[in-house]
Amino acid sequence: MNPLPDHVHPAVASPSGFFRRYVFSTDHKVIGLQYYFLALAAVTIGIVLSLLMRVHLAWPQAHWPLVTGGTLRPEQYLALMTMHGTIMVFFVLTTAPLGAFGNYFLPIQIGAPDMAFPRINMLSFWFTLAAFLCMLAAFAVPGGAPISGWTAYPPLSGLGSVTGPGEGMGQTMWIVSIGIFCIASLLASINFITTTIEMRAPGMNLTRMPLTVWAWFVTAVMSLLSFGALLAALIMLVLDRSAGTSFFTPAGLVVNGELQSGYSGGWPLLWEHLFWFFGHPEVYIAILPGMGVTSHVISNFSRKPVFGYRAMAATLCAIGILGFLLWGHHMFVSGMNPYSSLAFSALTLSIGVPSAVKTFNWLGTMWGGKIQFDTPMLFSIGFVSFFVTGGLSGIFLAQPALDNLLHATYYVVAHFHLVMGVAAIFGIFSATYYWFPKMFGRMMDETLGKLHFWLTFVGAYCIFMPMHFMGIYGGIRRYADWTGATYLAALQPLHLFATIAALVTAAAQLIFFYNFVSSLTRGEKAAENPWRATTLEWSTASPPPVDNFAGAFPTVYRGPYEYSVPGAPQDFTPQHLPPELAGVSEGATHA
């Protein structure tokens, strides 16, 4: 295999000038950091929006000094909900795991000097930033932010301002933002796929790739297929709003007592099919990189090889394939044919098989290992905990009869926040603490890191576990005020508990921000390989040079998780060390 295809010319010197080096850089590491800081800004805004919603739900009559009339109106609550969900799903849970860490570490972990298409890589980031700024601009346009939720179901989103505040220019800004984001994701996906296939170092065959690389590769394939469907749906939605088409808008709609003329033959469920064909793979686009990081970190801090490496790689691929076959379980309440519901239900349950294999293999990796409970390991164990907890609640939602009862309730909110939101965030935290020494050459504070973990771990369960009980009791999601209904008012103590937990958990993130920022300049200088790891990113300087390996590109001699190999002089055997230097024969493993 040729590690440097003809169209790739690795740079050996840093580009001159501030803008060329840090702003419009084609270095995948700089671009990865740009994605990371964009995600940090986005998650800060997303947390603030969620706290505003939580405070309103706990104290619905509270006075808001900057709100006209003093109290938050239902449509304003829905705008907060829409923007919170959109920002978190697209600009945090999609941007950080793949755009930030994938960009930074995939080329280094396969022994490449850069991404296959560096300029396209730069362009994909700037498209993502433009999409984010366009989304934030929806707050400032006449009518304010949209109220249609992050799913933007028509006909609410397809008719314009007649359907409510924010559904005019605000909804248009939302559509344009997500359309730009789709283009950025398609460009990035092509880059990831090409880089993984074409630019691996000599000896880096598929069975020697770290599971992080497998996860980023499968995620990129899913992004390429799913964001294309969403982009097509967005184009049709824009045409419905501005060009008089009727892709999603049926005839005979009456809004606010007025017949909406000029529409005929539209089908709102077409949007649901297209959106959820993207939306369910999006769950795994958010969480598959976390699975790769968790496998990577657990092996490192257990000082053992990944239990069942080939099975772990195969289940990543299986989840990627099955993820495209399950979208209909989001539509059980739409009135679909019961036979279709049965098929989607069976497929939904089937994805539990590769998920269970991964969970048991993580436990198998830790079993009998010399576990070191450093902060990255704690967050990876937390990832497994939230993934299992959220996944178990999903089994009930896979049953159409139960989903019909629970779909509109807080049970669903609890489920998808645990399995998609909190688990993915814990994967991001684990990756941050693990790779911070490589990215910045310094260590984060372990004491602060562990305090951050325990407050966040306990706090997240205190926020979302009560929501399961709210949902079973019949607590309706998207309602801005429960005090008007007697049976919902009885659940207010749970809302109060979850809100206090959310405030404490959000405050705990200040520990992370302080640790992160202070460690950039005052953190202990990192050793060459502080975690005694085996993969290629730890064979180069911290931070890495422009071409990653200072011109001395590695050759790979063994798998990525050779820990505690019998007969080896130390308990880790790096991939790039020749057999005569490693003290073990080429290909020597535990097998």
Side-chain angles (χ1 to χ4, degrees):
M1 178 184 297
N2 178 13
L4 300 177
D6 293 338
H7 64 280
V8 175
H9 304 281
V12 295
S14 298
S16 59
F18 175 83
F19 286 96
R20 186 68 182 84
R21 187 171 184 178
Y22 296 108
V23 181
F24 298 106
S25 175
T26 56
D27 184 349
H28 70 98
K29 298 179 291 297
V30 174
I31 294 169
L33 290 176
Q34 289 172 328
Y35 272 114
Y36 186 84
F37 288 114
L38 172 60
L40 276 184
V43 77
T44 302
I45 295 171
I47 289 173
V48 170
L49 296 178
S50 69
L51 292 179
L52 293 176
M53 287 189 289
R54 281 272 107 228
V55 169
H56 177 71
L57 287 167
W59 300 285
Q61 304 305 319
H63 179 75
W64 296 72
L66 299 179
V67 174
T68 303
T71 58
L72 200 68
R73 298 188 302 276
E75 60 270 22
Q76 294 171 320
Y77 174 85
L78 290 175
L80 293 175
M81 181 198 71
T82 299
M83 298 299 280
H84 164 75
T86 303
I87 289 171
M88 294 299 288
V89 169
F90 290 96
F91 297 102
V92 179
L93 301 179
T94 304
T95 296
L98 184 63
F101 293 111
N103 245 306
Y104 198 108
F105 288 103
L106 184 143
I108 309 178
Q109 287 196 331
I110 63 173
D114 206 323
M115 297 291 276
F117 309 112
R119 288 180 176 82
I120 291 179
N121 198 26
M122 176 187 68
L123 190 62
S124 66
F125 166 75
W126 286 105
F127 273 27
T128 304
L129 178 61
F132 181 60
L133 296 177
C134 185
M135 182 62 65
L136 295 182
F139 282 113
V141 298
I147 63 173
S148 57
W150 83 278
T151 56
Y153 282 169
L156 178 62
S157 62
L159 292 174
S161 57
V162 68
T163 57
E167 291 306 294
M169 182 59 72
Q171 186 68 63
T172 300
M173 297 295 288
W174 187 97
I175 296 170
V176 171
S177 171
I178 301 304
I180 297 172
F181 188 90
C182 289
I183 295 171
S185 296
L186 293 173
L187 293 175
S189 300
I190 293 170
N191 223 343
F192 276 92
I193 294 167
T194 306
T195 303
T196 305
I197 293 174
E198 294 292 335
M199 299 187 64
R200 301 192 305 275
M204 179 64 78
N205 57 41
L206 295 179
T207 59
R208 289 177 174 177
M209 292 196 313
L211 288 171
T212 46
V213 175
W214 274 106
W216 290 320
F217 176 71
V218 174
T219 300
V221 173
M222 298 183 77
S223 295
L224 184 65
L225 298 175
S226 62
F227 277 103
L230 180 60
L231 181 60
L234 290 167
I235 293 172
M236 287 189 280
L237 185 59
V238 167
L239 293 175
D240 271 15
R241 289 173 59 87
S242 60
T245 59
S246 296
F247 291 106
F248 308 123
T249 311
L253 281 177
V254 177
V255 179
N256 295 328
E258 295 182 9
L259 177 67
Q260 304 301 304
S261 60
Y263 298 102
S264 63
W267 192 38
L269 289 184
L270 175 60
W271 169 269
E272 290 195 37
H273 281 290
L274 291 171
F275 181 87
W276 288 116
F277 186 79
F278 148 79
H280 195 79
E282 169 62 22
V283 173
Y284 297 103
I285 289 170
I287 204 169
L288 277 180
M291 292 180 175
V293 169
T294 294
S295 303
H296 199 75
V297 169
I298 285 179
S299 176
N300 187 316
F301 290 93
S302 297
R303 313 311 297 169
K304 282 182 58 185
V306 169
F307 183 85
Y309 168 89
R310 290 176 183 267
M312 294 291 265
T315 51
L316 285 169
C317 297
I319 290 172
I321 294 170
L322 288 171
F324 280 98
L325 306 178
L326 314 179
W327 80 90
H329 75 218
H330 296 275
M331 300 172 58
F332 286 152
V333 298
S334 67
M336 68 166 56
N337 187 297
Y339 293 106
S340 298
S341 296
L342 180 63
F344 282 121
S345 177
L347 286 167
T348 301
L349 292 173
S350 71
I351 205 168
V353 175
S355 299
V357 170
K358 301 197 77 62
T359 301
F360 287 121
N361 282 17
W362 287 324
L363 298 177
T365 302
M366 289 187 282
W367 185 267
K370 299 177 182 178
I371 299 178
Q372 302 166 359
F373 291 103
D374 293 274
T375 304
M377 181 64 160
L378 290 176
F379 274 102
S380 284
I381 294 173
F383 173 94
V384 177
S385 174
F386 286 112
F387 177 70
V388 171
T389 304
L392 289 174
S393 64
I395 293 174
F396 298 94
L397 296 174
Q399 315 301 320
L402 291 176
D403 184 75
N404 285 334
L405 296 173
L406 296 172
H407 187 85
T409 73
Y410 264 80
Y411 188 94
V412 173
V413 177
H415 162 69
F416 74 71
H417 272 86
L418 285 178
V419 77
M420 179 186 181
V422 180
I425 291 289
F426 268 58
I428 294 169
F429 280 136
S430 179
T432 299
Y433 283 100
Y434 181 74
W435 279 316
F436 188 93
K438 177 54 57 180
M439 293 188 290
F440 302 107
R442 295 182 180 271
M443 303 294 292
M444 293 185 73
D445 186 273
E446 270 292 305
T447 301
L448 291 178
K450 290 175 180 177
L451 179 61
H452 171 226
F453 165 77
W454 285 110
L455 288 174
T456 306
F457 181 79
V458 175
Y461 270 119
C462 288
I463 296 167
F464 297 111
M465 287 309 291
M467 293 185 187
H468 290 90
F469 302 111
M470 294 183 198
I472 294 172
Y473 193 81
I476 307 298
R477 57 183 173 136
R478 302 192 183 98
Y479 276 20
D481 184 358
W482 283 13
T483 58
T486 302
Y487 87 98
L488 289 178
L491 298 175
Q492 276 302 111
L494 288 179
H495 262 318
L496 180 61
F497 179 83
T499 299
I500 293 172
L503 292 169
V504 173
T505 306
Q509 307 320 302
L510 298 176
I511 299 173
F512 168 76
F513 279 105
Y514 172 79
N515 194 1
F516 185 93
V517 173
S518 65
S519 297
L520 289 174
T521 56
R522 299 200 298 270
E524 177 187 350
K525 287 191 175 182
E528 180 179 337
N529 187 357
W531 308 125
R532 296 181 298 137
T534 59
T535 43
L536 295 182
E537 74 267 31
W538 300 105
S539 67
T540 186
S542 301
V546 174
D547 67 352
N548 295 335
F549 299 98
F553 294 99
T555 298
V556 175
Y557 296 94
R558 59 190 59 82
Y561 302 112
E562 295 305 315
Y563 294 100
S564 304
V565 176
Q570 51 190 1
D571 72 345
F572 67 105
T573 309
Q575 285 188 285
H576 69 287
L577 282 187
E580 61 272 17
L581 296 180
V584 295
S585 60
E586 183 171 355
T589 66
H590 291 262

